[in-house]
């Protein structure tokens, strides 16, 4: 009988797993900070939240905006991951790689548009209808 080989990666369990996962997340955040698109999205979120507070948005409206911004950041992280993997496995220009990158970019655009529409709606409703 053949023995199964052990994984090269030592998986942590319990509380060590929690701290390891937090460290990986922090590393991902630091990597995203190197992306100008992510820094612009952070600025957009900050300005939008300030505007929502200034116009008197409710806590619920602000929470929804924050959830949308977190979704933007998550999609941006996935888009960056796709771009890095494509660049690593296929450094030459290919249609498949281009399509994968374009689809990731479109996903980010969709989330930005959704967030922008929501923020404009809330700001408009507080300025025009109250």
């Amino acid at each position: 009988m053949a023995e199964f080989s052990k994984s090269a990666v030592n998986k942590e369990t319990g509380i060590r797993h929690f701290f390891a996962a937090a460290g990986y997340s922090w590393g991902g955040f630091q990597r995203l900070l190197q992306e100008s698109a992510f820094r612009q999205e952070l600025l957009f979120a900050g300005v939008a939240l300030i505007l929502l507070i200034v116009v008197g948005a409710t806590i619920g409206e602000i929470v929804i905006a924050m959830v949308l911004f977190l979704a933007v950041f998550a999609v941006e992280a996935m888009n960056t991951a796709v771009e890095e993997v494509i660049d690593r496995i296929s450094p030459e220009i290919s249609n498949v790689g281009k399509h994968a990158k374009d689809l990731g970019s479109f996903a980010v655009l969709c989330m930005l548009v959704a967030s922008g529409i929501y923020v404009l709606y809330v700001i408009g409703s507080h300025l025009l209808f109250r």
Side-chain angles (χ1 to χ4, degrees), residues 76-93:
E76 181 64 46
M78 294 305 296
N79 182 47
T80 301
V82 166
E83 289 176 350
E84 287 204 359
V85 169
I86 293 296
D87 290 345
R88 171 80 169 122
I89 63 173
S90 179
E92 71 282 348
I93 296 175

Side-chain angles (χ1 to χ4, degrees), residues 59-128:
I59 295 294
E61 291 167 333
I62 292 171
V63 167
I64 292 170
M66 289 172 56
V67 168
L68 284 168
F69 297 140
L70 287 171
V72 168
F73 303 154
V75 172
E76 181 64 46
M78 294 305 296
N79 182 47
T80 301
V82 166
E83 289 176 350
E84 287 204 359
V85 169
I86 293 296
D87 290 345
R88 171 80 169 122
I89 63 173
S90 179
E92 71 282 348
I93 296 175
S94 71
N95 279 339
V96 173
K98 180 185 180 327
H99 292 164
K101 289 180 173 187
D102 290 349
L103 289 166
S105 180
F106 179 69
V108 172
L109 176 67
C110 288
M111 282 307 310
L112 284 170
V113 169
S115 300
I117 288 171
Y118 178 76
V119 167
L120 288 175
Y121 168 78
V122 172
I123 290 172
S125 68
H126 282 272
L127 291 179
L128 300 175

Side-chain angles (χ1 to χ4, degrees), residues 2-20:
E3 285 188 38
F4 292 104
S5 62
K6 289 189 177 181
S7 172
V9 176
N10 184 18
K11 295 249 182 183
E12 300 290 348
T13 58
I15 193 73
R16 287 183 178 195
H17 173 76
F18 173 80
F19 286 113

